[in-house]
Amino acid sequence: MTMTQYQVVIGMEVHAQLQTASKMFCACDAAVFGAPPNSHVCPVCLGMPGVLPVINRRAVEQTIRTGLALAAEIAETAVFARKNYNYPDLPKGYQISQYELPLCLGGSLTITGDDGRPKVIRVRRAHLEEDTGKSKHMNQNGVTYSLLDYNRSGMPLLEIVTEADLNSAQEAYDYLTKLRTILRYIGASSGDMEKGAMRCEANVSVRTLLQAAQGEYGVKVEIKNLNSFSAVRGAVEYEVKRHIETIERGGTLQQVTLGWNEAEGRTFVQRSKESAHDYRYFPEPDLPPLRITRELVEQLRATLPELPDAKQARFMAQYGLNLNDAATLVATQAVAAYFEATVAAYGGAGREVCNWITGPLFSAMSSANQDIRSLKVTPDNLAALLTLLDRGIINRNIGQRVIATMLETGQAAADIVETEGLAQVSDSDALHAIVREVIVANPTEATKYRAGNLNLLNFLIGQVMRATRGKANQTVVRQLLEQALAE
Ligand code: ADP
Ligand code: MG
Ligand code: ZN
């Protein structure tokens, strides 16, 4: 066991594909995901000589909106820059990006830190750039070659870089989740990692608490091609362990760029510091500097929806929800909207609605593999179901069954209760007969109960519920059984 304590230091770089109709500098359709290779290309995004880029206004607006959502400072002047390097998926030989004068500077995002308290993660910058094409490396009977698809070339990308404020793999995971939620709320990016619409790189180092106190940092590695949030968590945990082990045995760490092998659960070196590129950035001569008026900034601010943190605070104050419940609802904008529409239709307690959504509805949705956006249970229908429960027309068991049927058929709750005869039986006369039958059918249990084994009452209640297919009013059943057994 080591006595030295370490602090993990992480900074994240995220690339998010912006939701626009066309590409960053040309008129090509941006709906490239899943399209046949090289079907969405033109001389501009193929990097032909002599063509000129034209800035996509929507991409600039989406970047500014994201900056505003992250409380960043929006530049008055932003400049596109050429980042020069050679790679087959970059046909121009340079990527148009932003370097010294990005659109968004500073900003922050709040997560729940490892200590359970709110933690502010500072954003360093967010800039706009274009994506590259994709190469696919082939090997057929030992013959190796590469295929190139330029559909993604020139797609608008927003790069968001944090300060090194994250201190664990879990905090990195939470940061990414929160960032993706915000991007989705404002409609800037789908954030779908499986479609490559969000990609992340983790910068990781480890330092002793003494180093931390002195403001020193450990050797940093950068981990690329992380294809899911859990890959980020796995790769960071792996690197932290490797760093600490190396330090403990007196080894030296190299500042390298790493890849992550998900299948084998380990990182591998992609390139060393010595082979780092010199990108020879310079201002893009084919594009004018972007002048962002304050009027435009205010116009765009007005288009922002209520953001997750604000919504969560409001849900807690307005509906009396606890933090966990409010966080669960606001994690998906469509769920939050569904919740509020249901409360409005129901007119009752928000907490009750929340319990039914996060409990029975979510579990029915996951068994039926249904998404909130394609849900057949409308908020009105769910509200009507809750009203049936309040009126004692059905009990909670039946309520859960009705939800499952509503999910399949989209029928109204009352119709399902009617056609399936699910109304709660509270009528004492009808239940009385069943209670007597149950006592007669279970003589041993009835005798033992009478002899003092009171636990058997629950067994007998269960038998009555079964005989009524779950529809009996349990309170009434309990009373009737107690009376009958006391006779
Ligand atoms: P580079 O020049 O290698 O790209 P930067 O200083 O530009 O490094 O930072 C890139 C990312 O790495 C940022 O998110 C930053 O917060 C993070 N970072 C910088 N130093 C460290 C460190 N010592 N440990 C972990 N992350 C770091
Ligand atoms: Mg970097
Ligand atoms: Zn094009």
mmCIF file of all heavy atoms in Angstrom, residues 86-128:
data_model
loop_
_atom_site.group_PDB
_atom_site.id
_atom_site.type_symbol
_atom_site.label_atom_id
_atom_site.label_comp_id
_atom_site.label_asym_id
_atom_site.label_seq_id
_atom_site.Cartn_x
_atom_site.Cartn_y
_atom_site.Cartn_z
ATOM 1 N N ASN A 86 -0.712 17.094 -43.633
ATOM 2 C CA ASN A 86 -1.015 16.229 -44.766
ATOM 3 C C ASN A 86 -1.591 14.913 -44.322
ATOM 4 O O ASN A 86 -0.988 14.201 -43.542
ATOM 5 C CB ASN A 86 0.279 15.938 -45.537
ATOM 6 C CG ASN A 86 0.403 16.862 -46.722
ATOM 7 O OD1 ASN A 86 -0.548 16.991 -47.500
ATOM 8 N ND2 ASN A 86 1.528 17.538 -46.826
ATOM 9 N N TYR A 87 -2.774 14.609 -44.810
ATOM 10 C CA TYR A 87 -3.357 13.307 -44.554
ATOM 11 C C TYR A 87 -4.376 13.060 -45.658
ATOM 12 O O TYR A 87 -5.046 13.994 -46.103
ATOM 13 C CB TYR A 87 -4.017 13.254 -43.165
ATOM 14 C CG TYR A 87 -4.175 11.841 -42.670
ATOM 15 C CD1 TYR A 87 -3.069 11.127 -42.215
ATOM 16 C CD2 TYR A 87 -5.409 11.214 -42.702
ATOM 17 C CE1 TYR A 87 -3.205 9.812 -41.802
ATOM 18 C CE2 TYR A 87 -5.550 9.895 -42.284
ATOM 19 C CZ TYR A 87 -4.440 9.198 -41.836
ATOM 20 O OH TYR A 87 -4.567 7.897 -41.435
ATOM 21 N N PRO A 88 -4.495 11.823 -46.117
ATOM 22 C CA PRO A 88 -5.389 11.573 -47.259
ATOM 23 C C PRO A 88 -6.834 12.014 -47.036
ATOM 24 O O PRO A 88 -7.526 12.355 -47.995
ATOM 25 C CB PRO A 88 -5.307 10.059 -47.451
ATOM 26 C CG PRO A 88 -3.986 9.673 -46.883
ATOM 27 C CD PRO A 88 -3.734 10.617 -45.746
ATOM 28 N N ASP A 89 -7.291 12.014 -45.755
ATOM 29 C CA ASP A 89 -8.690 12.402 -45.531
ATOM 30 C C ASP A 89 -8.872 13.917 -45.501
ATOM 31 O O ASP A 89 -9.972 14.419 -45.277
ATOM 32 C CB ASP A 89 -9.251 11.736 -44.270
ATOM 33 C CG ASP A 89 -8.585 12.205 -42.987
ATOM 34 O OD1 ASP A 89 -7.867 13.219 -43.013
ATOM 35 O OD2 ASP A 89 -8.788 11.540 -41.945
ATOM 36 N N LEU A 90 -7.772 14.647 -45.715
ATOM 37 C CA LEU A 90 -7.821 16.111 -45.713
ATOM 38 C C LEU A 90 -7.330 16.603 -47.075
ATOM 39 O O LEU A 90 -6.161 16.948 -47.243
ATOM 40 C CB LEU A 90 -6.927 16.657 -44.595
ATOM 41 C CG LEU A 90 -6.987 18.160 -44.344
ATOM 42 C CD1 LEU A 90 -8.332 18.559 -43.755
ATOM 43 C CD2 LEU A 90 -5.871 18.586 -43.402
ATOM 44 N N PRO A 91 -8.212 16.625 -48.079
ATOM 45 C CA PRO A 91 -7.746 16.829 -49.452
ATOM 46 C C PRO A 91 -7.097 18.199 -49.703
ATOM 47 O O PRO A 91 -6.237 18.313 -50.568
ATOM 48 C CB PRO A 91 -9.012 16.648 -50.295
ATOM 49 C CG PRO A 91 -10.162 16.808 -49.361
ATOM 50 C CD PRO A 91 -9.669 16.398 -48.015
ATOM 51 N N LYS A 92 -7.481 19.229 -48.966
ATOM 52 C CA LYS A 92 -6.879 20.550 -49.192
ATOM 53 C C LYS A 92 -5.460 20.633 -48.663
ATOM 54 O O LYS A 92 -4.711 21.528 -49.019
ATOM 55 C CB LYS A 92 -7.693 21.642 -48.447
ATOM 56 C CG LYS A 92 -9.024 21.975 -49.078
ATOM 57 C CD LYS A 92 -9.542 23.354 -48.612
ATOM 58 C CE LYS A 92 -9.791 23.476 -47.123
ATOM 59 N NZ LYS A 92 -10.989 22.745 -46.682
ATOM 60 N N GLY A 93 -5.097 19.727 -47.741
ATOM 61 C CA GLY A 93 -3.796 19.849 -47.102
ATOM 62 C C GLY A 93 -3.853 20.793 -45.908
ATOM 63 O O GLY A 93 -2.847 21.043 -45.250
ATOM 64 N N TYR A 94 -4.999 21.344 -45.647
ATOM 65 C CA TYR A 94 -5.185 22.143 -44.426
ATOM 66 C C TYR A 94 -6.652 22.066 -44.027
ATOM 67 O O TYR A 94 -7.531 21.830 -44.863
ATOM 68 C CB TYR A 94 -4.758 23.601 -44.626
ATOM 69 C CG TYR A 94 -5.496 24.327 -45.737
ATOM 70 C CD1 TYR A 94 -6.720 24.958 -45.490
ATOM 71 C CD2 TYR A 94 -4.972 24.380 -47.030
ATOM 72 C CE1 TYR A 94 -7.392 25.629 -46.503
ATOM 73 C CE2 TYR A 94 -5.648 25.035 -48.050
ATOM 74 C CZ TYR A 94 -6.858 25.656 -47.780
ATOM 75 O OH TYR A 94 -7.523 26.298 -48.787
ATOM 76 N N GLN A 95 -6.855 22.261 -42.731
ATOM 77 C CA GLN A 95 -8.209 22.296 -42.182
ATOM 78 C C GLN A 95 -8.498 23.740 -41.819
ATOM 79 O O GLN A 95 -7.649 24.407 -41.224
ATOM 80 C CB GLN A 95 -8.249 21.417 -40.929
ATOM 81 C CG GLN A 95 -9.585 21.400 -40.199
ATOM 82 C CD GLN A 95 -9.467 20.717 -38.828
ATOM 83 O OE1 GLN A 95 -8.407 20.723 -38.203
ATOM 84 N NE2 GLN A 95 -10.559 20.137 -38.370
ATOM 85 N N ILE A 96 -9.679 24.222 -42.183
ATOM 86 C CA ILE A 96 -10.037 25.568 -41.741
ATOM 87 C C ILE A 96 -10.598 25.454 -40.337
ATOM 88 O O ILE A 96 -11.562 24.718 -40.085
ATOM 89 C CB ILE A 96 -11.054 26.251 -42.678
ATOM 90 C CG1 ILE A 96 -10.499 26.282 -44.116
ATOM 91 C CG2 ILE A 96 -11.360 27.666 -42.182
ATOM 92 C CD1 ILE A 96 -11.448 26.944 -45.125
ATOM 93 N N SER A 97 -9.928 26.160 -39.407
ATOM 94 C CA SER A 97 -10.285 26.087 -37.998
ATOM 95 C C SER A 97 -10.215 27.502 -37.423
ATOM 96 O O SER A 97 -10.191 28.472 -38.182
ATOM 97 C CB SER A 97 -9.299 25.151 -37.298
ATOM 98 O OG SER A 97 -9.595 25.027 -35.923
ATOM 99 N N GLN A 98 -10.196 27.613 -36.115
ATOM 100 C CA GLN A 98 -9.961 28.920 -35.487
ATOM 101 C C GLN A 98 -8.841 28.717 -34.488
ATOM 102 O O GLN A 98 -8.755 27.670 -33.854
ATOM 103 C CB GLN A 98 -11.227 29.426 -34.790
ATOM 104 C CG GLN A 98 -12.346 29.676 -35.779
ATOM 105 C CD GLN A 98 -13.591 30.237 -35.124
ATOM 106 O OE1 GLN A 98 -13.917 29.902 -33.990
ATOM 107 N NE2 GLN A 98 -14.298 31.090 -35.848
ATOM 108 N N TYR A 99 -7.978 29.709 -34.376
ATOM 109 C CA TYR A 99 -6.808 29.511 -33.531
ATOM 110 C C TYR A 99 -6.704 30.606 -32.481
ATOM 111 O O TYR A 99 -7.181 30.441 -31.367
ATOM 112 C CB TYR A 99 -5.572 29.449 -34.425
ATOM 113 C CG TYR A 99 -4.314 29.030 -33.727
ATOM 114 C CD1 TYR A 99 -4.263 27.842 -32.997
ATOM 115 C CD2 TYR A 99 -3.152 29.800 -33.800
ATOM 116 C CE1 TYR A 99 -3.102 27.454 -32.346
ATOM 117 C CE2 TYR A 99 -1.977 29.413 -33.165
ATOM 118 C CZ TYR A 99 -1.958 28.244 -32.437
ATOM 119 O OH TYR A 99 -0.813 27.861 -31.815
ATOM 120 N N GLU A 100 -6.161 31.754 -32.884
ATOM 121 C CA GLU A 100 -5.956 32.801 -31.879
ATOM 122 C C GLU A 100 -7.248 33.523 -31.507
ATOM 123 O O GLU A 100 -7.387 33.984 -30.386
ATOM 124 C CB GLU A 100 -4.912 33.799 -32.368
ATOM 125 C CG GLU A 100 -3.513 33.257 -32.119
ATOM 126 C CD GLU A 100 -2.438 34.074 -32.798
ATOM 127 O OE1 GLU A 100 -2.790 34.949 -33.617
ATOM 128 O OE2 GLU A 100 -1.259 33.820 -32.522
ATOM 129 N N LEU A 101 -8.152 33.636 -32.464
ATOM 130 C CA LEU A 101 -9.387 34.370 -32.176
ATOM 131 C C LEU A 101 -10.615 33.483 -32.406
ATOM 132 O O LEU A 101 -11.290 33.578 -33.414
ATOM 133 C CB LEU A 101 -9.460 35.635 -33.037
ATOM 134 C CG LEU A 101 -8.398 36.697 -32.751
ATOM 135 C CD1 LEU A 101 -8.419 37.790 -33.814
ATOM 136 C CD2 LEU A 101 -8.598 37.311 -31.360
ATOM 137 N N PRO A 102 -10.895 32.599 -31.428
ATOM 138 C CA PRO A 102 -12.062 31.715 -31.565
ATOM 139 C C PRO A 102 -13.367 32.480 -31.306
ATOM 140 O O PRO A 102 -13.337 33.587 -30.761
ATOM 141 C CB PRO A 102 -11.833 30.672 -30.467
ATOM 142 C CG PRO A 102 -11.067 31.402 -29.413
ATOM 143 C CD PRO A 102 -10.193 32.398 -30.152
ATOM 144 N N LEU A 103 -14.470 31.892 -31.668
ATOM 145 C CA LEU A 103 -15.763 32.555 -31.453
ATOM 146 C C LEU A 103 -16.133 32.675 -29.974
ATOM 147 O O LEU A 103 -16.727 33.652 -29.557
ATOM 148 C CB LEU A 103 -16.866 31.776 -32.187
ATOM 149 C CG LEU A 103 -17.230 32.283 -33.569
ATOM 150 C CD1 LEU A 103 -18.063 31.255 -34.317
ATOM 151 C CD2 LEU A 103 -18.000 33.601 -33.474
ATOM 152 N N CYS A 104 -15.802 31.644 -29.184
ATOM 153 C CA CYS A 104 -16.202 31.666 -27.767
ATOM 154 C C CYS A 104 -14.989 31.485 -26.868
ATOM 155 O O CYS A 104 -14.211 30.558 -27.060
ATOM 156 C CB CYS A 104 -17.181 30.536 -27.469
ATOM 157 S SG CYS A 104 -18.563 30.452 -28.605
ATOM 158 N N LEU A 105 -14.877 32.347 -25.874
ATOM 159 C CA LEU A 105 -13.779 32.268 -24.911
ATOM 160 C C LEU A 105 -14.337 32.145 -23.507
ATOM 161 O O LEU A 105 -15.303 32.822 -23.157
ATOM 162 C CB LEU A 105 -12.928 33.539 -24.994
ATOM 163 C CG LEU A 105 -11.737 33.505 -25.953
ATOM 164 C CD1 LEU A 105 -11.088 34.877 -26.014
ATOM 165 C CD2 LEU A 105 -10.704 32.455 -25.532
ATOM 166 N N GLY A 106 -13.708 31.293 -22.705
ATOM 167 C CA GLY A 106 -14.143 31.132 -21.315
ATOM 168 C C GLY A 106 -15.489 30.453 -21.239
ATOM 169 O O GLY A 106 -15.954 29.846 -22.195
ATOM 170 N N GLY A 107 -16.111 30.553 -20.074
ATOM 171 C CA GLY A 107 -17.396 29.907 -19.857
ATOM 172 C C GLY A 107 -17.251 28.790 -18.840
ATOM 173 O O GLY A 107 -16.143 28.531 -18.339
ATOM 174 N N SER A 108 -18.347 28.138 -18.554
ATOM 175 C CA SER A 108 -18.295 27.069 -17.555
ATOM 176 C C SER A 108 -19.534 26.195 -17.632
ATOM 177 O O SER A 108 -20.519 26.546 -18.293
ATOM 178 C CB SER A 108 -18.202 27.658 -16.146
ATOM 179 O OG SER A 108 -19.404 28.340 -15.841
ATOM 180 N N LEU A 109 -19.450 25.097 -16.956
ATOM 181 C CA LEU A 109 -20.552 24.139 -16.887
ATOM 182 C C LEU A 109 -20.462 23.521 -15.493
ATOM 183 O O LEU A 109 -19.374 23.266 -14.995
ATOM 184 C CB LEU A 109 -20.321 23.130 -18.002
ATOM 185 C CG LEU A 109 -21.191 21.922 -18.236
ATOM 186 C CD1 LEU A 109 -20.961 21.423 -19.649
ATOM 187 C CD2 LEU A 109 -20.863 20.830 -17.261
ATOM 188 N N THR A 110 -21.622 23.302 -14.855
ATOM 189 C CA THR A 110 -21.613 22.783 -13.484
ATOM 190 C C THR A 110 -22.015 21.310 -13.464
ATOM 191 O O THR A 110 -23.008 20.934 -14.074
ATOM 192 C CB THR A 110 -22.580 23.599 -12.598
ATOM 193 O OG1 THR A 110 -22.221 24.974 -12.700
ATOM 194 C CG2 THR A 110 -22.493 23.172 -11.143
ATOM 195 N N ILE A 111 -21.197 20.516 -12.793
ATOM 196 C CA ILE A 111 -21.534 19.097 -12.619
ATOM 197 C C ILE A 111 -21.678 18.817 -11.117
ATOM 198 O O ILE A 111 -21.415 19.699 -10.298
ATOM 199 C CB ILE A 111 -20.442 18.156 -13.181
ATOM 200 C CG1 ILE A 111 -19.104 18.386 -12.452
ATOM 201 C CG2 ILE A 111 -20.272 18.360 -14.678
ATOM 202 C CD1 ILE A 111 -18.070 17.301 -12.720
ATOM 203 N N THR A 112 -22.095 17.618 -10.771
ATOM 204 C CA THR A 112 -22.026 17.207 -9.376
ATOM 205 C C THR A 112 -20.675 16.537 -9.186
ATOM 206 O O THR A 112 -20.363 15.544 -9.829
ATOM 207 C CB THR A 112 -23.157 16.212 -9.041
ATOM 208 O OG1 THR A 112 -24.398 16.866 -9.340
ATOM 209 C CG2 THR A 112 -23.147 15.834 -7.578
ATOM 210 N N GLY A 113 -19.837 17.120 -8.356
ATOM 211 C CA GLY A 113 -18.483 16.606 -8.160
ATOM 212 C C GLY A 113 -18.490 15.308 -7.370
ATOM 213 O O GLY A 113 -19.526 14.866 -6.885
ATOM 214 N N ASP A 114 -17.297 14.691 -7.242
ATOM 215 C CA ASP A 114 -17.181 13.433 -6.511
ATOM 216 C C ASP A 114 -17.601 13.574 -5.053
ATOM 217 O O ASP A 114 -17.987 12.595 -4.423
ATOM 218 C CB ASP A 114 -15.729 12.929 -6.566
ATOM 219 C CG ASP A 114 -15.422 12.319 -7.929
ATOM 220 O OD1 ASP A 114 -16.383 11.959 -8.637
ATOM 221 O OD2 ASP A 114 -14.232 12.207 -8.273
ATOM 222 N N ASP A 115 -17.521 14.806 -4.514
ATOM 223 C CA ASP A 115 -17.926 14.997 -3.120
ATOM 224 C C ASP A 115 -19.436 15.238 -2.992
ATOM 225 O O ASP A 115 -19.944 15.531 -1.928
ATOM 226 C CB ASP A 115 -17.154 16.160 -2.494
ATOM 227 C CG ASP A 115 -17.368 17.471 -3.253
ATOM 228 O OD1 ASP A 115 -18.187 17.484 -4.211
ATOM 229 O OD2 ASP A 115 -16.739 18.480 -2.905
ATOM 230 N N GLY A 116 -20.151 15.115 -4.136
ATOM 231 C CA GLY A 116 -21.606 15.273 -4.098
ATOM 232 C C GLY A 116 -22.054 16.727 -4.182
ATOM 233 O O GLY A 116 -23.242 17.012 -4.221
ATOM 234 N N ARG A 117 -21.101 17.654 -4.213
ATOM 235 C CA ARG A 117 -21.472 19.073 -4.264
ATOM 236 C C ARG A 117 -21.314 19.611 -5.696
ATOM 237 O O ARG A 117 -20.574 19.049 -6.505
ATOM 238 C CB ARG A 117 -20.564 19.871 -3.321
ATOM 239 C CG ARG A 117 -20.616 19.345 -1.878
ATOM 240 C CD ARG A 117 -20.699 20.471 -0.866
ATOM 241 N NE ARG A 117 -19.655 21.459 -1.060
ATOM 242 C CZ ARG A 117 -18.479 21.415 -0.414
ATOM 243 N NH1 ARG A 117 -18.210 20.445 0.425
ATOM 244 N NH2 ARG A 117 -17.586 22.362 -0.623
ATOM 245 N N PRO A 118 -22.042 20.692 -6.013
ATOM 246 C CA PRO A 118 -21.895 21.266 -7.350
ATOM 247 C C PRO A 118 -20.450 21.692 -7.594
ATOM 248 O O PRO A 118 -19.795 22.222 -6.693
ATOM 249 C CB PRO A 118 -22.811 22.502 -7.307
ATOM 250 C CG PRO A 118 -23.760 22.258 -6.187
ATOM 251 C CD PRO A 118 -23.012 21.428 -5.182
ATOM 252 N N LYS A 119 -19.965 21.411 -8.797
ATOM 253 C CA LYS A 119 -18.579 21.743 -9.118
ATOM 254 C C LYS A 119 -18.550 22.431 -10.473
ATOM 255 O O LYS A 119 -19.106 21.919 -11.445
ATOM 256 C CB LYS A 119 -17.755 20.458 -9.132
ATOM 257 C CG LYS A 119 -16.310 20.674 -9.556
ATOM 258 C CD LYS A 119 -15.479 19.447 -9.270
ATOM 259 C CE LYS A 119 -14.062 19.654 -9.798
ATOM 260 N NZ LYS A 119 -13.199 18.532 -9.446
ATOM 261 N N VAL A 120 -17.909 23.579 -10.526
ATOM 262 C CA VAL A 120 -17.845 24.349 -11.766
ATOM 263 C C VAL A 120 -16.647 23.891 -12.587
ATOM 264 O O VAL A 120 -15.514 23.875 -12.103
ATOM 265 C CB VAL A 120 -17.724 25.854 -11.462
ATOM 266 C CG1 VAL A 120 -17.504 26.640 -12.752
ATOM 267 C CG2 VAL A 120 -18.970 26.346 -10.738
ATOM 268 N N ILE A 121 -16.895 23.488 -13.816
ATOM 269 C CA ILE A 121 -15.825 23.110 -14.731
ATOM 270 C C ILE A 121 -15.647 24.265 -15.714
ATOM 271 O O ILE A 121 -16.580 24.633 -16.428
ATOM 272 C CB ILE A 121 -16.176 21.821 -15.498
ATOM 273 C CG1 ILE A 121 -16.585 20.698 -14.525
ATOM 274 C CG2 ILE A 121 -15.024 21.388 -16.403
ATOM 275 C CD1 ILE A 121 -15.565 20.368 -13.463
ATOM 276 N N ARG A 122 -14.463 24.856 -15.717
ATOM 277 C CA ARG A 122 -14.243 26.007 -16.601
ATOM 278 C C ARG A 122 -14.028 25.555 -18.045
ATOM 279 O O ARG A 122 -13.302 24.602 -18.311
ATOM 280 C CB ARG A 122 -13.026 26.810 -16.141
ATOM 281 C CG ARG A 122 -13.242 27.583 -14.836
ATOM 282 C CD ARG A 122 -11.932 28.115 -14.314
ATOM 283 N NE ARG A 122 -10.986 27.024 -14.089
ATOM 284 C CZ ARG A 122 -9.669 27.158 -14.042
ATOM 285 N NH1 ARG A 122 -9.107 28.348 -14.219
ATOM 286 N NH2 ARG A 122 -8.882 26.116 -13.829
ATOM 287 N N VAL A 123 -14.664 26.268 -18.942
ATOM 288 C CA VAL A 123 -14.435 26.029 -20.366
ATOM 289 C C VAL A 123 -13.392 27.043 -20.822
ATOM 290 O O VAL A 123 -13.476 28.227 -20.483
ATOM 291 C CB VAL A 123 -15.752 26.204 -21.164
ATOM 292 C CG1 VAL A 123 -15.489 26.158 -22.668
ATOM 293 C CG2 VAL A 123 -16.749 25.118 -20.770
ATOM 294 N N ARG A 124 -12.381 26.574 -21.540
ATOM 295 C CA ARG A 124 -11.326 27.479 -21.985
ATOM 296 C C ARG A 124 -11.750 28.220 -23.251
ATOM 297 O O ARG A 124 -11.593 29.418 -23.360
ATOM 298 C CB ARG A 124 -10.050 26.681 -22.254
ATOM 299 C CG ARG A 124 -8.881 27.526 -22.697
ATOM 300 C CD ARG A 124 -7.676 26.673 -23.056
ATOM 301 N NE ARG A 124 -7.065 26.080 -21.868
ATOM 302 C CZ ARG A 124 -6.038 25.239 -21.922
ATOM 303 N NH1 ARG A 124 -5.517 24.897 -23.094
ATOM 304 N NH2 ARG A 124 -5.537 24.730 -20.822
ATOM 305 N N ARG A 125 -12.272 27.460 -24.195
ATOM 306 C CA ARG A 125 -12.655 28.055 -25.473
ATOM 307 C C ARG A 125 -13.571 27.114 -26.248
ATOM 308 O O ARG A 125 -13.619 25.917 -25.975
ATOM 309 C CB ARG A 125 -11.416 28.350 -26.336
ATOM 310 C CG ARG A 125 -10.579 27.086 -26.576
ATOM 311 C CD ARG A 125 -9.297 27.395 -27.317
ATOM 312 N NE ARG A 125 -9.488 27.423 -28.760
ATOM 313 C CZ ARG A 125 -8.823 28.226 -29.584
ATOM 314 N NH1 ARG A 125 -7.933 29.077 -29.112
ATOM 315 N NH2 ARG A 125 -9.033 28.185 -30.877
ATOM 316 N N ALA A 126 -14.289 27.671 -27.195
ATOM 317 C CA ALA A 126 -15.064 26.839 -28.117
ATOM 318 C C ALA A 126 -14.892 27.470 -29.489
ATOM 319 O O ALA A 126 -15.110 28.667 -29.654
ATOM 320 C CB ALA A 126 -16.526 26.792 -27.713
ATOM 321 N N HIS A 127 -14.444 26.680 -30.449
ATOM 322 C CA HIS A 127 -14.240 27.245 -31.774
ATOM 323 C C HIS A 127 -14.847 26.387 -32.871
ATOM 324 O O HIS A 127 -15.137 25.211 -32.681
ATOM 325 C CB HIS A 127 -12.754 27.518 -32.028
ATOM 326 C CG HIS A 127 -11.920 26.280 -32.133
ATOM 327 N ND1 HIS A 127 -11.035 25.897 -31.158
ATOM 328 C CD2 HIS A 127 -11.836 25.349 -33.112
ATOM 329 C CE1 HIS A 127 -10.448 24.775 -31.526
ATOM 330 N NE2 HIS A 127 -10.916 24.419 -32.715
ATOM 331 N N LEU A 128 -15.024 27.030 -33.987
ATOM 332 C CA LEU A 128 -15.700 26.414 -35.125
ATOM 333 C C LEU A 128 -14.663 25.940 -36.134
ATOM 334 O O LEU A 128 -13.701 26.658 -36.427
ATOM 335 C CB LEU A 128 -16.611 27.482 -35.739
ATOM 336 C CG LEU A 128 -17.569 27.104 -36.852
ATOM 337 C CD1 LEU A 128 -18.419 25.913 -36.487
ATOM 338 C CD2 LEU A 128 -18.471 28.312 -37.140
#
